[in-house]
Amino acid sequence: MTDKTSSGDIRHDWTRADIRALFQLPFPELMFRAAEMHRKYFDARQVQISTLLSIKTGGCPEDCAYCPQSVHFDTGVGAGKLMALETVLSEAKAAKDAGASRFCMGAAWRSPKDRDLDKVCAMVEGVKAMGLETCVTLGMLEGDQATRLKSAGLDYYNHNLDTSPEYYGDIITTRTYQDRLDTLSRVRDAGINVCCGGIVGMNESEDDRAGMIHALATLPAHPESVPINLLVQVEGTKLNGIAKLAPLDFVRTIAVARITMPASVVRLSAGREDMSDETQALCFLAGANSVFYGPRLLTTPNPVADKDRALMAELGLVPMPA
Ligand code: SAM
Ligand code: DTB
Ligand code: SF4
């Protein structure tokens, strides 16, 4: 049998207690199990490379406590207009030339208006025609909007659960966990790959981290891509100035994501600017196999390409073919 699922690794019946127990494993045992699972499903040298572009920045009506783009916080991020198609395409070409295989376009919307969606569909078509994989994150979607994006050639839709169901209300009040689950099922039903993860370092408990992974690993299908973000603290946001998460607790979250969603690509997502090379190396050892590449996330800095090229070379990592 070559069916890897036959071994029972890919489970949708994880209990919260199972996941809590993984978090509580001795660190070397957790790392060993994660690294073993990583090798069973992937070439552990390969890292998927995505580049992000904010196609519509700031002015967002939602109140996500972490986000510099919310109108509820004074962070100095102004509200911009939707970027012109030509600008998006020239950024995508630069990302491709620099070595990215996927281009992710983010908009600070609660949900897209239909006339905006037409413009985003043209961006998706143009980026796809360059031979890049396409990803967008535009907020909540209706079913017909997901279908239109799929027809335009969209490969991935990013929509995060962000945290555990219990902690969620402390972080966002303007839309519910169920709203997010509904968007995810519309994306899935339209045949688009799901990119869904969350943020740690928001003052949540370990049990909340377990709850977040539990929510992800018990979705009807595991997201193809699971971004694990470390909170980027931005002055003016509600979460600025809180205690930082211990780096090993971040690494543990990656390892538990890898063990519970073995066939998913796990992205060491936002927060790398604040991480040592050693912490990042532990994340790759724990099964992370994707990063954002390029000097900017949406509004905050990310390591420059030269620095990442050097780190990948030092660790013997290579880009994952699309
Ligand atoms: N507005 C859309 C939405 O929220 O669905 C799409 C863009 S939003 C910026 C995409 C994701 O970025 C959020 O769900 C959140 O997980 C992540 N994010 C935003 N601000 C962050 C921060 N300061 N640190 C880490 N991740 C962050
Ligand atoms: C995701 O999970 N992380 C990315 C992407 N999806 C869109 C966004 C990170 C944003 C970090 C804060 C900023 O740069 O504004
Ligand atoms: Fe708006 Fe998205 Fe930021 Fe929340 S995370 S405030 S929805 S841009």
Side-chain angles (χ1 to χ4, degrees):
M1 280 284 281
T2 52
D3 177 7
K4 289 171 176 168
T5 60
S6 65
S7 61
D9 296 334
I10 300 188
R11 292 175 45 190
H12 296 87
D13 62 350
W14 293 99
T15 65
R16 186 87 166 238
D18 292 334
I19 293 178
R20 221 179 277 131
L22 290 172
F23 272 96
Q24 285 163 11
L25 281 174
F27 189 75
E29 179 63 23
L30 175 63
M31 294 297 277
F32 177 75
R33 288 202 205 171
E36 198 175 38
M37 203 58 99
H38 190 184
R39 278 151 189 76
K40 204 161 160 186
Y41 287 86
F42 292 96
D43 178 337
R45 290 169 307 174
Q46 293 185 350
V47 177
Q48 193 283 325
I49 309 280
S50 293
T51 291
L52 261 177
L53 177 68
S54 180
I55 57 169
K56 196 273 166 197
T57 305
C60 182
E62 304 294 278
D63 68 353
C64 312
Y66 47 77
C67 187
Q69 304 197 68
S70 163
V71 290
H72 298 263
F73 311 122
D74 187 4
T75 61
V77 174
K81 289 208 171 81
L82 183 59
M83 208 177 253
L85 175 64
E86 309 77 67
T87 318
V88 172
L89 295 184
S90 77
E91 294 280 343
K93 177 158 191 321
K96 183 168 193 225
D97 292 346
S101 61
R102 188 178 307 160
F103 194 63
C104 307
M105 295 164 270
W109 289 323
R110 171 177 165 82
S111 53
K113 295 193 188 78
D114 282 338
R115 73 178 137 79
D116 289 327
L117 200 69
D118 292 336
K119 295 182 185 161
V120 175
C121 285
M123 294 172 191
V124 168
E125 274 165 27
V127 172
K128 181 90 178 161
M130 282 177 192
L132 281 161
E133 290 182 324
T134 54
C135 175
V136 297
T137 179
L138 315 171
M140 295 184 284
L141 285 190
E142 295 301 336
D144 61 312
Q145 296 181 313
T147 309
R148 284 171 60 201
L149 286 164
K150 172 72 183 173
S151 307
L154 186 67
D155 296 305
Y156 289 81
Y157 194 84
N158 167 244
H159 198 63
N160 292 333
L161 289 178
D162 277 353
T163 189
S164 68
E166 297 82 4
Y167 194 52
Y168 183 86
D170 287 23
I171 301 297
I172 300 138
T173 70
T174 48
R175 58 177 146 169
T176 65
Y177 217 70
Q178 189 58 47
D179 288 331
R180 293 194 182 240
L181 293 168
D182 291 346
T183 290
L184 291 171
S185 70
R186 288 168 192 146
V187 169
R188 172 72 66 207
D189 288 349
I192 301 167
N193 293 307
V194 171
C195 173
C196 181
I199 312 177
V200 297
M202 297 198 295
N203 237 349
E204 74 286 341
S205 63
E206 183 174 277
D207 195 43
D208 288 315
R209 290 191 283 281
M212 175 179 92
I213 300 287
H214 179 252
L216 294 167
T218 57
L219 285 169
H222 293 165
E224 282 75 12
S225 163
V226 180
I228 305 294
N229 296 277
L230 176 65
L231 174 70
V232 180
Q233 295 196 11
V234 178
E235 218 175 305
T237 58
K238 189 169 164 200
L239 295 180
N240 187 51
I242 62 172
K244 300 254 171 92
L245 183 71
L248 291 184
D249 285 331
F250 184 82
V251 176
R252 278 192 176 86
T253 310
I254 297 267
V256 176
R258 167 54 60 223
I259 293 168
T260 53
M261 294 169 277
S264 302
V265 169
V266 175
R267 183 175 302 123
L268 162 52
S269 193
R272 293 196 300 119
E273 260 302 74
D274 276 349
M275 273 177 218
S276 67
D277 286 357
E278 291 78 6
T279 298
Q280 294 188 60
L282 281 174
C283 289
F284 294 123
L285 188 58
N289 58 353
S290 170
V291 289
F292 284 126
Y293 183 64
R296 194 147 277 281
L297 292 166
L298 292 172
T299 66
T300 65
N302 192 49
V304 295
D306 280 351
K307 192 161 181 248
D308 275 346
R309 267 195 284 269
L311 179 63
M312 285 185 62
E314 192 180 3
L315 300 178
L317 301 175
V318 296
M320 187 185 287

